[in-house]
Amino acid sequence: MRKMLANIRKGYGKKLVSIHRWNAWLVLFLAVSGLLLVGGFWREVLGEGRVWLKWAHIVLGLVLLIPVIYYLLLASKHWKRLDGKTAQKANVIFVLVLLIGWLASGIVLWQFRLAGPRAANAALWIHDLLTWVGLPVIIYHSVTRVKWLKEPRKRSVVAETRSPVGSGTITDIKHPAAVSTPQPVYTRRGFIKLAVGAGLAVTVGPTFVRWIGKSLQLPGTADYAADNANTLIPDPMPLADSSPPIGGGAEGSFRIYTVTDIPAFDNSNWSFTIDGLVDQPFTWTWEEFVKLQREVQVSDFHCVTGWSVYKNTWEGLPLSKLLDMAGVKNEAVMVKLYSGDGVYTDSLTLPQARMEDVMVAVMHDGLPIPNQLGGPVRLVTPQMYAYKSVKWLNRIELIAEDHVGYWEQRGYDKDAWLPGAKRV
C-alpha cells in the first residue's frame, strides 16, 4: 500500500497542475449546464436536448469524483508544504467542502426516486447554496489569480505544482526576491480584486438574498399573490376550511417553471371546457365556473427537479366529479389536459384521473391561485410529480387514444408516480 501511494505521489507537483486543469474545466461545464437547466427560458429552447444536457451534467458530475479522490491521495504531501500558511489551508478545505458537497447532494438529486422527496428537497437546497457561494468565489479567484499563474517564484512548490484541486490558488513562497522587493499599497492586482468583488456583490448579491429569503420563508419573499396579473372577477369566496387553511399554510417555496411566457387572463379571454368523448360537453365562463361546488384538500407538491412544498391547502373540484358531470363515453381511455399557454399538454389515464385527490384547483391556502403558480385554475396530482399538474388549465378532452405529454415527448418518464404513491 505504501509503495502504491509513493508511486502515485511521485512528481505530485505536475499531477496537481493536471488535476487543477481538469477540475477547472469540469466545474466550468457543470456551472454553465446547471444554470441552463434551471432557467425557464432554456427549458423551451433546449427542448428534448435539456434531457441530454441533464444526463451530461450528471455524468460529468460523477467524473468530478476522479480529481477529488486523486487529490486526496496527494493531500498529505501537499499539506506539509502548507505548514504555517493558515489562509492557504483554509482555501484548500473550503474547495474540498464545496466539491464534496456538490457531489454528495448531486448524487441524491440524481437518485431522487430512491432518496424520496424530503431528501431530494434538502439536497437541492444544499446544491443551490453551494452554487451561490461557490461560483462567485471561483469567478473571483480565477480572474484575480491569472497573473500569479505566470510567476513561478510565488508558488509553494517550486517548478512542480501550482495549486490544490479546484482552488486555482498559487500559494506564497519565501523567495528572496519576493521578500526584498517592497510592495506598493495600491497595486493593479488589488484594484482588479476590488472591482471583481464589488461587481459580484452587486450582480449576484440581491439574487442570493432573494433565494435565501424564499428558502427560509422570510416575510415578503414568497408573497406570489401580490404579483398576480390575472384580473378575473369576482374572486372566488373561500370555504371555511380554506380560510384559514386547514393545512396551516404551505411549507416551502414554489419555483416558477414555464415553457412559454407566463400568461395572464381576464373575464374576456378565459373559459373552461370539457369535451371530446363525453355525453354532455360543457364550457363555463369564469363567473359560472366559480359557482360550481368546490372541496378542500391538504396535500404535498413535489417537482421532479427535487424541490417540494408541503401542506398545501387546495380548494377546487375533484376531477372525477367533472368527469361525472360530463358523462364519459365507453370508448374514452385517456384524459388530455390543455394549458392556457397554448403549448403545454399532458394526460392521465381514466383510473388516474379518477383518483380521489386529483383536483382542478381554484384556490391555494385560501387565496386565488396567482398566474405565476398556474392560476386561475390548475391541476393538482399529489401522487405524481408536478409536470402532470398542468398549469393554467382551461380544457379537458376525453380521447380514445394514448397521448404523450409535452415533457414526456422530451424525455421525461410517462410514469410520474412518486415513491410510495397510491398507484391505480
Side-chain angles (χ1 to χ4, degrees):
M1 184 67 179
R2 288 183 178 179
K3 285 186 178 180
M4 184 181 71
L5 285 175
N7 288 332
I8 290 174
R9 291 167 180 168
K10 186 181 295 183
Y12 90 102
K14 290 182 180 179
K15 291 177 179 178
L16 283 178
V17 174
S18 179
I19 289 171
H20 174 272
R21 182 167 54 249
W22 280 104
N23 192 69
W25 282 111
L26 285 170
V27 169
L28 176 63
F29 174 82
L30 293 171
V32 173
S33 59
L35 293 172
L36 292 177
L37 289 170
V38 168
F41 170 78
W42 292 106
R43 293 169 71 85
E44 170 65 13
V45 171
L46 292 170
E48 187 175 351
R50 182 184 182 278
V51 179
W52 292 102
L53 183 63
K54 177 183 176 182
W55 278 108
H57 187 86
I58 292 170
V59 170
L60 290 181
L62 294 173
V63 170
L64 191 62
L65 275 168
I66 297 173
V68 171
I69 293 172
Y70 203 176
Y71 173 74
L72 291 175
L73 295 174
L74 304 175
S76 62
K77 190 170 182 180
H78 182 244
W79 204 249
K80 292 178 182 177
R81 296 278 186 173
L82 299 178
D83 283 345
K85 298 177 180 178
T86 305
Q88 303 303 333
K89 286 186 176 183
N91 184 67
V92 173
I93 293 171
F94 171 79
V95 171
L96 285 176
V97 168
L98 190 69
L99 294 177
I100 292 171
W102 267 332
L103 285 166
S105 59
I107 289 171
V108 173
L109 290 172
W110 169 40
Q111 295 296 327
F112 66 93
R113 290 183 184 272
L114 294 176
R118 288 194 177 273
N121 202 32
L124 184 64
W125 191 89
I126 292 170
H127 212 70
D128 283 353
L129 177 63
L130 294 178
T131 299
W132 284 118
V133 172
L135 282 184
V137 172
I138 289 171
I139 295 169
Y140 171 83
H141 213 78
S142 298
V143 172
T144 60
R145 298 301 171 110
V146 166
K147 189 175 181 181
W148 259 9
L149 287 171
K150 301 175 182 178
E151 298 184 25
R153 67 188 182 84
K154 292 189 177 181
R155 301 174 190 165
S156 59
V157 185
V158 180
E160 277 195 322
T161 186
R162 297 185 178 188
S163 66
V165 57
S167 68
T169 302
I170 309 303
T171 53
D172 292 332
I173 183 173
K174 300 301 182 182
H175 191 283
V179 174
S180 61
T181 304
Q183 296 296 317
V185 175
Y186 180 85
T187 64
R188 181 173 177 271
R189 187 167 67 240
F191 173 78
I192 293 175
K193 286 183 179 181
L194 180 63
V196 172
L200 288 172
V202 170
T203 56
V204 177
T207 308
F208 175 68
V209 169
R210 285 196 299 271
W211 175 80
I212 281 287
K214 289 180 180 179
S215 297
L216 300 180
Q217 293 189 286
L218 299 179
T221 57
D223 188 9
Y224 299 109
D227 299 323
N228 186 12
N230 290 328
T231 56
L232 294 118
I233 52 175
D235 284 340
M237 297 299 295
L239 298 174
D241 285 343
S242 281
S243 185
I246 58 173
E251 297 178 1
S253 180
F254 288 91
R255 298 188 179 205
I256 310 303
Y257 295 152
T258 176
V259 299
T260 66
D261 291 336
I262 297 176
F265 303 94
D266 58 34
N267 293 66
S268 67
N269 65 4
W270 189 90
S271 63
F272 194 96
T273 298
I274 180 167
D275 61 2
L277 298 174
V278 295
D279 298 325
Q280 176 62 57
F282 286 98
T283 295
W284 291 280
T285 65
W286 175 252
E287 294 92 333
E288 294 167 337
F289 195 76
V290 295
K291 292 178 182 178
L292 299 177
Q293 184 60 47
R294 299 189 297 273
E295 298 181 11
V296 177
Q297 74 166 12
V298 178
S299 59
D300 299 333
F301 188 95
H302 304 292
C303 180
V304 75
T305 59
W307 57 268
S308 302
V309 180
Y310 299 94
K311 298 181 180 178
N312 301 277
T313 298
W314 300 103
E315 182 180 315
L317 296 94
L319 179 54
S320 60
K321 292 194 174 181
L322 282 175
L323 296 179
D324 290 341
M325 288 176 64
V328 179
K329 292 185 176 180
N330 292 333
E331 56 266 36
V333 297
M334 190 73 65
V335 179
K336 185 176 179 182
L337 306 152
Y338 293 82
S339 170
D341 65 6
V343 174
Y344 196 92
T345 62
D346 216 306
S347 63
L348 298 170
T349 65
L350 275 172
Q352 290 170 350
R354 288 192 176 277
M355 290 190 297
E356 61 181 7
D357 56 0
V358 175
M359 175 177 279
V360 177
V362 178
M363 306 192 79
H364 177 254
D365 280 355
L367 296 171
I369 302 173
N371 66 321
Q372 295 99 322
L373 299 189
V377 174
R378 70 167 302 154
L379 195 69
V380 176
T381 56
Q383 304 300 320
M384 296 179 171
Y385 285 106
Y387 60 89
K388 288 289 187 180
S389 297
V390 177
K391 292 184 288 190
W392 311 301
L393 182 67
N394 65 357
R395 184 186 175 197
I396 298 171
E397 181 186 15
L398 278 295
I399 58 177
E401 65 279 349
D402 190 20
H403 173 71
V404 181
Y406 180 93
W407 278 117
E408 289 93 331
Q409 293 175 26
R410 291 158 175 79
Y412 277 37
D413 291 338
K414 191 171 183 182
D415 180 6
W417 296 111
L418 288 159
K422 299 175 184 177
R423 305 188 181 201
V424 294

